[in-house]
Amino acid sequence: MEGKMSELLKKIESEVLGLSHQERAFLADRLLSSLGEDVLTEFDAAWVTEAQRRYGEYKAGRRSGIDAQEVFAEADRIVE
């Protein structure tokens, strides 16, 4: 069984590495989320707090929204 799992993991890894940065980030988030809340690091918690603060500013009209396509395009430029 271990040999089969190792081959399966190699196949999955190969396919996943062929995905875009955005798709890999989404998949990584889903996989980490499936492990439960115990994997939330201090860094993650800080980003959650920052996201909540920014959303509060947006809802209060103190921050404008940014088109998702712009956000993802910028993220792709930074990662590449």
Side-chain angles (χ1 to χ4, degrees):
M1 182 69 157
E2 190 172 306
K4 284 186 179 182
M5 182 58 80
S6 179
E7 288 302 314
L8 177 59
L9 287 175
K10 287 179 186 176
K11 181 179 179 185
I12 291 170
E13 178 184 27
S14 175
E15 290 188 27
V16 167
L17 291 176
L19 298 173
S20 71
H21 291 100
Q22 182 181 348
E23 291 169 322
R24 289 195 320 260
F26 175 79
L27 180 58
D29 181 61
R30 292 291 303 263
L31 290 171
L32 288 173
S33 295
S34 74
L35 298 175
E37 292 183 34
D38 294 337
V39 297
L40 191 65
T41 66
E42 278 186 49
F43 183 76
D44 296 326
W47 269 114
V48 168
T49 300
E50 179 64 12
Q52 290 171 334
R53 182 186 69 76
R54 291 180 186 190
Y55 182 66
E57 289 178 355
Y58 171 76
K59 291 294 279 184
R62 295 189 307 267
R63 175 182 289 271
S64 61
I66 302 172
D67 182 68
Q69 295 296 352
E70 284 181 53
V71 172
F72 294 131
E74 178 66 19
D76 284 342
R77 279 192 296 275
I78 291 170
V79 172
E80 292 174 352

